[in-house]
Amino acid sequence: MNASNERETVLHAHNVHKSYGSKGGAQQVLRGIDLRVLRKEFVGIMGPSGSGKTTLLNVLATIDRTTDGTILIEDEDISTMSNTALSAFRRNKLGFIFQDYNLLDTLTVKENILLPLSLSKISKQQAENEFIAIADVLGIQEISQKYPFEISGGQKQRTAAGRALIHQPSIIFADEPTGALDSKSASSLLSVMEEVNRKRKVTIIMVTHDPVASSYCNRVVFLKDGKIYSELYRGEKSRQSFFKEIIDVQAVLGGDHIDSI
């Protein structure tokens, strides 16, 4: 990829609405979201309970459909794709990290990570090379032959991150990835995600309620009542300084509060 298109738009959501229920009693969750994400960004989405952050992640990640509006990912309109086309697009272009890991207990760490490549046409050697590269970044070489029930929560989440990365997706969507982890494991995972974003140039969009997690991002988007309330950019700020700015906005919005990084 040349320098001129490294920072191109990878995702563009325009006037996105999402409602649930029938017309008479419909609950409007997203109310005209406009969001542009550039390639290589690490974006956090925050907001109080009921603000629409998980719903937004779900429609951006093709897990749910919008009620109205368009979502372009790499200039492809996912809003108009058939279910079959959307499934293929999701498999080839997107990666997912969930709070509850979603690993298969009957497969080893390595087999779980390689699973997304089972339907691809890449050679066994290519798959092996990609696994080695990812395992090195994630620091999970030593547990590659272990099963999920034999490893810690932090190691499970690193395995989930490896599975999300293995097919070189355009975007990784992370839904509260540190929610089930202790603070040490959470910090370790976030450092790895930050490194993956920087070294492998993968775009990451992460929903979190945790300002510590958001402080690892390049940008944080705050939602309120289904709309974008404000945005913060980290720029050259330290993580500690960015954390304090996030806390200040969160205090205005309401929600969970954490006193220190």
Side-chain angles (χ1 to χ4, degrees), residues 166-187:
I166 193 70
H167 61 300
Q168 300 181 2
S170 299
I171 304 173
I172 287 179
F173 292 96
D175 186 6
E176 298 282 7
T178 61
L181 303 179
D182 59 56
S183 59
K184 183 178 179 181
S185 296
S187 295

Side-chain angles (χ1 to χ4, degrees), residues 45-109:
I45 299 175
M46 298 190 75
S49 179
S51 61
K53 56 186 182 293
T54 297
T55 300
L56 177 59
L57 185 82
N58 286 343
V59 297
L60 295 179
T62 74
I63 294 170
D64 201 356
R65 296 270 191 177
T66 62
T67 302
D68 198 10
T70 59
I71 298 173
L72 303 178
I73 297 179
E74 291 198 326
D75 296 325
E76 293 192 64
D77 188 351
I78 65 170
S79 317
T80 59
M81 285 184 183
S82 68
N83 288 337
T84 301
L86 203 57
S87 178
F89 182 87
R90 187 184 304 120
R91 185 172 63 246
N92 295 326
K93 295 283 189 177
L94 308 179
F96 301 90
I97 305 174
F98 300 102
Q99 181 176 334
D100 57 359
Y101 319 126
N102 284 5
L103 301 177
L104 297 178
D105 286 335
T106 56
L107 300 181
T108 64
V109 164

Side-chain angles (χ1 to χ4, degrees), residues 229-241:
Y229 173 80
S230 65
E231 298 182 58
L232 290 178
Y233 289 83
R234 181 172 170 182
E236 299 302 315
K237 302 182 191 85
S238 69
R239 195 163 64 77
Q240 288 78 6
S241 176

Side-chain angles (χ1 to χ4, degrees), residues 88-252:
F89 182 87
R90 187 184 304 120
R91 185 172 63 246
N92 295 326
K93 295 283 189 177
L94 308 179
F96 301 90
I97 305 174
F98 300 102
Q99 181 176 334
D100 57 359
Y101 319 126
N102 284 5
L103 301 177
L104 297 178
D105 286 335
T106 56
L107 300 181
T108 64
V109 164
K110 182 176 182 178
E111 289 166 342
N112 267 287
I113 290 174
L114 289 173
L115 193 59
L117 298 183
S118 60
L119 297 176
S120 71
K121 296 180 180 178
I122 75 169
S123 69
K124 204 169 183 179
Q125 188 58 53
Q126 282 179 294
E128 180 68 21
N129 291 343
E130 189 62 18
F131 171 77
I132 291 170
I134 286 173
D136 183 55
V137 171
L138 297 176
I140 53 176
Q141 306 94 322
E142 293 181 1
I143 62 165
S144 64
Q145 296 306 316
K146 290 189 175 183
Y147 290 87
F149 61 86
E150 297 178 306
I151 61 179
S152 69
Q155 290 170 328
K156 287 177 184 177
Q157 200 58 295
R158 286 179 181 233
T159 301
R163 182 187 55 196
L165 279 165
I166 193 70
H167 61 300
Q168 300 181 2
S170 299
I171 304 173
I172 287 179
F173 292 96
D175 186 6
E176 298 282 7
T178 61
L181 303 179
D182 59 56
S183 59
K184 183 178 179 181
S185 296
S187 295
S188 177
L189 175 70
L190 290 161
S191 294
V192 165
M193 290 176 68
E194 190 178 37
E195 185 176 1
V196 162
N197 168 251
R198 186 177 66 253
K199 287 188 175 180
R200 294 181 69 89
K201 301 179 181 179
V202 177
T203 304
I204 302 174
I205 300 176
M206 175 179 69
V207 160
T208 182
H209 70 281
D210 183 1
V212 174
S214 285
S215 70
Y216 285 81
C217 299
N218 311 130
R219 172 167 57 124
V220 180
V221 177
F222 295 89
L223 300 188
K224 182 180 181 181
D225 299 328
K227 297 179 179 180
I228 292 179
Y229 173 80
S230 65
E231 298 182 58
L232 290 178
Y233 289 83
R234 181 172 170 182
E236 299 302 315
K237 302 182 191 85
S238 69
R239 195 163 64 77
Q240 288 78 6
S241 176
F242 194 41
F243 168 81
K244 289 176 183 176
E245 289 189 12
I246 294 167
I247 282 288
D248 288 342
V249 176
Q250 193 179 39
V252 174

Side-chain angles (χ1 to χ4, degrees), residues 4-21:
S4 64
N5 63 7
E6 275 193 347
R7 298 298 286 171
E8 68 188 6
T9 298
V10 67
L11 180 148
H12 184 200
H14 176 63
N15 196 30
V16 169
H17 293 256
K18 179 63 182 179
S19 300
Y20 294 99

